[in-house]
Amino acid sequence: PKGPAVATRGVVVFVHGGAWGSGKPWMYRLASIPFLEMGLAVAIVGYRTYPDADVDGQVEDVERAMEDLARRRPDLLQNNRGGGISALVGHSTGAHISFLTVLKRSKAHMEAEKQGKESKDVFINSFIGLSGVYNIQNHFEFESGRGVEEMSPLKPVCGFSVENFIENSACFRLEQCLLDQEREECDVAEEVELVDHLPQMLFVHGVLDDTVPYTSTQKIVDAILSIESSDVEEKCHEILLEDVGHSDTVMHLMFGGKTRDSLVDWFQSWSLFSECDDES
C-alpha cells in the first residue's frame, strides 16, 4: 500500500543472493541499517527464484520492483538525479542480477538519447555489487571444481550450455553493449557513449571468499576500465577486503564490519549527497 510521504535523501533497492534458487527479502532486513543511518529509505525486493524463473525473468522482476516503487512512492525518488533510485545493491547472485539490470537500463537510456527521446525507465544513480558473480562460465567451472555443479541452480537458471552461460554473463553483455554502441555511432550526428549512461559503480569482494572468488570482481572491473573513455575511472571503483569471506560482506551490513565502513565512506564521498543537501 502507498504510505505517507517522508523526508529522505533517497532510496536504496537491495537484491539478495541465494544461488538464483533461494532466499527471501525478510532474511535481509538488517542489511538496511547502514543506509537508514545515512537518511536513505530502503526497499528489499524479492524476485522469482529457480525453478520459477531464469536469469532474464529475475532481471525483469527487479525492473518491475523498481517501477512499482517509483509509481507507489515517488516521494522517495524525488531527491535523486532523474527522479531515480539512489543505489541498486546486490549480494552474490543478487549482484549478478542487479548488474544485468544496470546494463539493460543503461543501454535503453543510451538508445533513447540517440533517438532524441527521453527514457521513461527509472534511473539508477549508483550500483553496489557485493561478492558478485559476473562471469557464468568461469563460475560454472569453479563450481565443477568443488563438485557442486549438479546441485547448484546455476546450470538450469543460466541456460544449460556454454553458449548460454556466456550470454548470461555480465562481462559478455557489457561487451555487447559496447559493440552495439560502435555499430550505431555512424547513424547519429553526435557520439553517444554507454559510459555516460552507466551509474556510479562500486564493486566489493572479500579476498577469502571461497564461494565466489574475488577474481570475479577483478575481471568485471578490468572489463569496465578497459572502455575507452576519460570518465570511466571516475565511475568505477573496486574494494578488495582482506580477511573477508563470501557471507561476511552482507553480514557486515547487518552487524558492522569492513564492508559497511567501506561502503559508507564511498557513499558519503559521492556527490549525490552534497547536491541533495544543497538543494534542501
Side-chain angles (χ1 to χ4, degrees):
K2 184 174 181 179
V6 294
T8 70
R9 280 175 152 179
V11 61
V12 169
V13 173
F14 182 89
V15 182
H16 66 80
W20 302 278
S22 64
K24 298 290 183 182
W26 64 264
M27 299 175 178
Y28 296 86
R29 293 180 67 181
L30 293 180
S32 64
I33 291 175
F35 304 107
L36 295 174
E37 290 177 345
M38 288 188 284
L40 294 155
V42 182
I44 302 176
V45 304
Y47 54 90
R48 290 169 296 162
T49 53
Y50 178 79
D52 295 322
D54 61 9
V55 165
D56 286 329
Q58 293 173 353
V59 170
E60 289 173 4
D61 287 352
V62 172
E63 289 189 293
R64 288 195 187 106
M66 292 192 299
E67 296 294 342
D68 193 52
L69 176 65
R71 179 176 60 84
R72 290 171 177 261
R73 296 299 304 270
D75 57 296
L76 298 179
L77 283 70
Q78 64 187 2
N79 283 336
N80 287 314
R81 182 164 67 97
I85 65 171
S86 304
L88 179 59
V89 184
H91 175 253
S92 189
T93 51
H96 169 241
I97 298 164
S98 297
F99 195 57
L100 292 185
T101 303
V102 165
L103 291 175
K104 183 177 179 182
R105 287 298 175 99
S106 297
K107 181 179 179 182
H109 285 295
M110 180 179 70
E111 291 176 346
E113 182 181 347
K114 288 178 179 178
Q115 297 169 13
K117 300 178 181 178
E118 183 176 347
S119 175
K120 296 182 180 180
D121 291 335
V122 175
F123 193 84
I124 301 169
N125 281 281
S126 69
F127 164 79
I128 300 172
L130 307 174
S131 309
V133 181
Y134 305 107
N135 187 307
I136 301 302
Q137 175 58 21
N138 285 355
H139 194 60
F140 178 75
E141 293 170 358
F142 178 73
E143 288 195 340
S144 298
R146 297 171 63 210
V148 299
E149 77 279 8
E150 295 302 330
M151 65 181 75
S152 168
L154 182 155
K155 183 190 289 187
V157 83
C158 292
F160 289 100
S161 68
V162 172
E163 291 76 16
N164 287 333
F165 292 167
I166 294 172
E167 186 174 331
N168 284 313
S169 296
C171 292
F172 176 80
R173 294 198 186 183
L174 173 64
E175 181 180 335
Q176 290 302 113
C177 287
L178 294 171
L179 289 174
D180 290 344
Q181 170 187 299
E182 292 176 4
R183 281 195 292 266
E184 296 172 6
E185 276 178 356
C186 59
D187 298 329
V188 294
E190 185 176 347
E191 184 175 311
V192 179
E193 293 187 348
L194 176 67
V195 171
D196 295 335
H197 298 278
L198 288 172
Q200 288 285 330
M201 294 167 284
L202 175 64
F203 295 86
V204 182
H205 219 117
V207 175
L208 294 186
D209 193 330
D210 57 5
T211 302
V212 180
Y214 71 91
T215 52
S216 173
T217 282
Q218 286 184 315
K219 289 177 180 178
I220 190 64
V221 169
D222 287 345
I224 295 170
L225 293 179
S226 70
I227 299 173
E228 295 183 3
S229 170
S230 59
D231 297 329
V232 69
E233 291 187 6
E234 296 179 3
K235 284 198 167 185
C236 182
H237 309 270
E238 175 187 37
I239 298 176
L240 300 179
L241 299 172
E242 299 289 341
D243 303 318
V244 171
H246 186 71
S247 62
D248 291 338
T249 50
V250 71
M251 296 298 283
H252 286 172
L253 296 188
M254 298 179 180
F255 304 110
K258 292 181 179 179
T259 308
R260 181 194 285 198
D261 296 341
S262 298
L263 185 152
V264 169
D265 287 346
W266 178 81
F267 218 104
Q268 291 185 329
S269 69
W270 186 35
S271 61
L272 170 73
F273 277 167
S274 59
E275 290 173 3
C276 291
D277 293 342
D278 289 344
E279 293 172 1
S280 59

